[in-house]
Amino acid sequence: MPLSNVEILHQDPALLVINKPTLLLSVPGRAEDNRDCLVTRLQENGYPEARIVHRLDWETSGIIVLARDADSHRELSRQFHDRETEKAYTALCWGQPELDSGSIDLPLRYDPPTKPRHIVDHEQGKHALTFWRVLERCGDWTRVELTPITGRSHQLRVHMLSIGHPLLGDGLYAHEQALAAWPRLCLHASMLSLTHPQTGERLRFECSAPF
Protein backbone atom coordinates (compact mmCIF):
# COMPACT_ATOMS: atom_id res chain seq x y z
CA MET A 1 0.00 0.00 0.00
CA PRO A 2 1.30 3.51 -0.77
CA LEU A 3 1.85 6.16 1.87
CA SER A 4 -0.73 8.31 0.02
CA ASN A 5 -2.58 10.22 2.75
CA VAL A 6 -0.03 9.43 5.50
CA GLU A 7 1.53 12.80 6.39
CA ILE A 8 5.04 12.85 7.89
CA LEU A 9 5.20 15.74 10.35
CA HIS A 10 8.83 15.24 11.41
CA GLN A 11 11.67 12.85 10.74
CA ASP A 12 15.25 12.52 11.94
CA PRO A 13 17.63 9.56 12.39
CA ALA A 14 15.90 8.46 15.62
CA LEU A 15 12.18 8.88 15.03
CA LEU A 16 9.25 9.56 12.73
CA VAL A 17 6.25 11.66 13.72
CA ILE A 18 3.18 10.89 11.63
CA ASN A 19 -0.30 12.33 11.22
CA LYS A 20 -2.24 9.04 11.03
CA PRO A 21 -5.43 9.23 8.99
CA THR A 22 -8.67 7.83 10.31
CA LEU A 23 -9.62 4.25 9.32
CA LEU A 24 -6.01 3.04 9.27
CA LEU A 25 -4.71 0.51 11.78
CA SER A 26 -1.51 1.36 13.66
CA VAL A 27 -0.24 -2.24 13.45
CA PRO A 28 -1.40 -5.29 11.48
CA GLY A 29 -4.57 -7.01 12.62
CA ARG A 30 -4.72 -10.76 13.22
CA ALA A 31 -6.61 -11.53 10.03
CA GLU A 32 -4.67 -11.60 6.77
CA ASP A 33 -6.95 -8.97 5.24
CA ASN A 34 -6.03 -6.60 8.10
CA ARG A 35 -2.36 -6.43 7.16
CA ASP A 36 -2.65 -2.89 5.80
CA CYS A 37 -1.61 -0.53 8.58
CA LEU A 38 0.56 2.49 9.33
CA VAL A 39 3.75 0.65 10.25
CA THR A 40 3.54 -1.66 7.21
CA ARG A 41 3.03 1.26 4.84
CA LEU A 42 6.07 3.02 6.27
CA GLN A 43 8.23 -0.13 6.19
CA GLU A 44 7.33 -0.78 2.55
CA ASN A 45 7.85 2.82 1.42
CA GLY A 46 11.32 3.86 2.44
CA TYR A 47 11.33 3.30 6.20
CA PRO A 48 12.01 -0.45 6.67
CA GLU A 49 13.39 0.22 10.16
CA ALA A 50 10.20 1.86 11.50
CA ARG A 51 9.05 0.43 14.84
CA ILE A 52 5.77 1.13 16.57
CA VAL A 53 6.04 2.78 20.01
CA HIS A 54 2.39 3.38 20.89
CA ARG A 55 -0.94 3.02 19.08
CA LEU A 56 -3.99 4.98 18.06
CA ASP A 57 -7.36 3.31 17.51
CA TRP A 58 -8.29 2.48 13.91
CA GLU A 59 -10.81 5.34 13.79
CA THR A 60 -8.66 7.87 15.67
CA SER A 61 -6.50 10.23 13.62
CA GLY A 62 -3.53 12.35 14.59
CA ILE A 63 -0.03 12.33 15.96
CA ILE A 64 1.80 9.04 16.44
CA VAL A 65 5.56 8.54 16.88
CA LEU A 66 7.63 5.62 15.57
CA ALA A 67 11.24 4.78 16.38
CA ARG A 68 13.93 4.15 13.75
CA ASP A 69 16.38 2.05 15.77
CA ALA A 70 16.34 -0.32 18.75
CA ASP A 71 17.80 2.10 21.30
CA SER A 72 15.38 4.88 20.36
CA HIS A 73 12.49 2.40 20.49
CA ARG A 74 13.50 1.29 23.96
CA GLU A 75 13.81 4.86 25.27
CA LEU A 76 10.59 6.14 23.70
CA SER A 77 8.69 3.10 24.98
CA ARG A 78 10.04 3.79 28.47
CA GLN A 79 8.85 7.41 28.29
CA PHE A 80 5.32 6.30 27.42
CA HIS A 81 5.35 3.60 30.11
CA ASP A 82 6.62 6.01 32.77
CA ARG A 83 4.16 8.73 31.67
CA GLU A 84 6.91 11.18 30.77
CA THR A 85 5.15 12.11 27.54
CA GLU A 86 2.36 14.66 27.32
CA LYS A 87 -0.65 14.05 25.07
CA ALA A 88 -3.73 16.03 24.15
CA TYR A 89 -6.65 15.12 21.91
CA THR A 90 -9.30 17.23 20.22
CA ALA A 91 -12.80 15.74 20.15
CA LEU A 92 -16.40 16.64 19.40
CA CYS A 93 -18.83 15.35 22.00
CA TRP A 94 -22.62 15.27 22.06
CA GLY A 95 -24.41 17.82 24.22
CA GLN A 96 -23.24 20.68 26.40
CA PRO A 97 -21.17 19.86 29.52
CA GLU A 98 -22.43 21.80 32.51
CA LEU A 99 -18.91 22.90 33.48
CA ASP A 100 -16.08 24.28 31.34
CA SER A 101 -13.54 21.72 32.54
CA GLY A 102 -13.21 18.71 34.78
CA SER A 103 -11.67 15.31 35.37
CA ILE A 104 -12.97 11.76 34.98
CA ASP A 105 -11.49 9.18 37.33
CA LEU A 106 -13.24 5.90 36.54
CA PRO A 107 -11.65 2.42 36.28
CA LEU A 108 -12.01 0.61 32.96
CA ARG A 109 -11.83 -2.95 31.69
CA TYR A 110 -12.37 -4.86 28.46
CA ASP A 111 -15.85 -6.37 28.18
CA PRO A 112 -15.68 -9.68 26.21
CA PRO A 113 -19.48 -10.08 25.82
CA THR A 114 -19.64 -6.78 23.90
CA LYS A 115 -16.27 -7.11 22.11
CA PRO A 116 -14.42 -4.84 21.39
CA ARG A 117 -16.08 -2.47 23.86
CA HIS A 118 -14.68 -1.43 27.24
CA ILE A 119 -16.74 -0.51 30.28
CA VAL A 120 -16.46 1.21 33.66
CA ASP A 121 -15.98 -1.40 36.40
CA HIS A 122 -15.28 -0.24 39.95
CA GLU A 123 -14.31 -3.74 41.11
CA GLN A 124 -12.24 -5.22 38.28
CA GLY A 125 -11.35 -2.17 36.19
CA LYS A 126 -7.89 -0.59 35.94
CA HIS A 127 -7.31 2.97 37.13
CA ALA A 128 -8.00 5.52 34.37
CA LEU A 129 -7.85 9.32 34.60
CA THR A 130 -8.79 11.92 31.98
CA PHE A 131 -8.85 15.72 32.17
CA TRP A 132 -11.14 17.63 29.83
CA ARG A 133 -11.90 21.26 28.98
CA VAL A 134 -14.34 22.96 26.64
CA LEU A 135 -12.88 24.67 23.57
CA GLU A 136 -16.08 25.63 21.76
CA ARG A 137 -19.82 25.20 22.29
CA CYS A 138 -21.91 24.75 19.15
CA GLY A 139 -25.58 23.80 19.43
CA ASP A 140 -25.98 20.06 19.90
CA TRP A 141 -22.26 19.40 20.33
CA THR A 142 -19.13 20.71 22.04
CA ARG A 143 -15.49 20.79 20.99
CA VAL A 144 -13.29 19.63 23.86
CA GLU A 145 -9.63 19.05 24.61
CA LEU A 146 -9.00 15.71 26.30
CA THR A 147 -5.83 14.94 28.24
CA PRO A 148 -5.36 11.28 29.19
CA ILE A 149 -3.13 10.75 32.22
CA THR A 150 -3.36 6.97 31.88
CA GLY A 151 -3.44 5.13 28.56
CA ARG A 152 -6.25 2.57 28.73
CA SER A 153 -7.85 1.24 25.57
CA HIS A 154 -10.83 3.36 24.48
CA GLN A 155 -10.29 5.48 27.61
CA LEU A 156 -11.36 8.83 26.17
CA ARG A 157 -14.38 7.38 24.39
CA VAL A 158 -15.69 5.49 27.43
CA HIS A 159 -14.93 8.29 29.87
CA MET A 160 -16.85 10.87 27.82
CA LEU A 161 -19.73 8.40 27.43
CA SER A 162 -19.73 7.89 31.20
CA ILE A 163 -20.48 11.59 31.85
CA GLY A 164 -23.25 11.64 29.24
CA HIS A 165 -21.30 13.15 26.34
CA PRO A 166 -20.37 10.43 23.80
CA LEU A 167 -18.09 11.39 20.94
CA LEU A 168 -19.69 12.20 17.61
CA GLY A 169 -19.46 9.48 14.98
CA ASP A 170 -18.41 6.80 17.48
CA GLY A 171 -19.74 3.51 16.13
CA LEU A 172 -19.01 1.66 19.36
CA TYR A 173 -20.28 4.01 22.04
CA ALA A 174 -22.40 6.83 20.59
CA HIS A 175 -26.20 6.81 20.69
CA GLU A 176 -28.09 7.19 17.40
CA GLN A 177 -28.10 11.00 17.33
CA ALA A 178 -24.41 11.35 18.18
CA LEU A 179 -23.48 8.63 15.68
CA ALA A 180 -25.39 10.33 12.88
CA ALA A 181 -23.98 13.77 13.70
CA TRP A 182 -20.62 13.18 11.97
CA PRO A 183 -19.36 10.73 9.31
CA ARG A 184 -16.28 9.68 11.33
CA LEU A 185 -15.19 9.30 14.94
CA CYS A 186 -14.38 12.83 16.08
CA LEU A 187 -11.22 12.05 18.03
CA HIS A 188 -7.82 13.39 16.94
CA ALA A 189 -4.43 13.24 18.67
CA SER A 190 -3.55 16.92 18.34
CA MET A 191 -0.47 17.32 20.58
CA LEU A 192 2.41 15.12 21.68
CA SER A 193 5.40 16.17 23.74
CA LEU A 194 8.38 13.89 24.42
CA THR A 195 12.12 13.91 25.01
CA HIS A 196 14.29 13.13 22.00
CA PRO A 197 15.85 9.69 22.65
CA GLN A 198 19.28 10.72 21.33
CA THR A 199 19.71 14.44 22.01
CA GLY A 200 17.65 14.78 25.21
CA GLU A 201 15.86 17.81 23.73
CA ARG A 202 12.21 18.25 24.72
CA LEU A 203 10.06 18.20 21.58
CA ARG A 204 6.45 19.27 21.11
CA PHE A 205 4.40 18.41 18.03
CA GLU A 206 0.97 19.80 17.16
CA CYS A 207 -1.50 18.88 14.44
CA SER A 208 -4.94 20.45 14.18
CA ALA A 209 -8.05 18.27 13.93
CA PRO A 210 -9.63 17.80 10.47
CA PHE A 211 -13.11 18.34 11.93
Side-chain angles (χ1 to χ4, degrees), residues 66-85:
L66 296 94
R68 301 187 68 181
D69 63 78
D71 288 342
S72 296
H73 182 265
R74 192 175 304 110
E75 169 57 17
L76 289 169
S77 298
R78 184 201 63 77
Q79 290 183 38
F80 276 89
H81 178 269
D82 294 346
R83 299 176 188 169
E84 294 179 6
T85 61

Side-chain angles (χ1 to χ4, degrees), residues 172-201:
L172 284 179
Y173 301 103
H175 52 63
E176 187 175 347
Q177 288 174 292
L179 179 60
W182 215 272
R184 58 155 288 184
L185 170 66
C186 291
L187 181 61
H188 179 82
S190 52
M191 190 281 290
L192 175 64
S193 179
L194 51 81
T195 300
H196 194 281
Q198 293 181 352
T199 68
E201 179 186 1

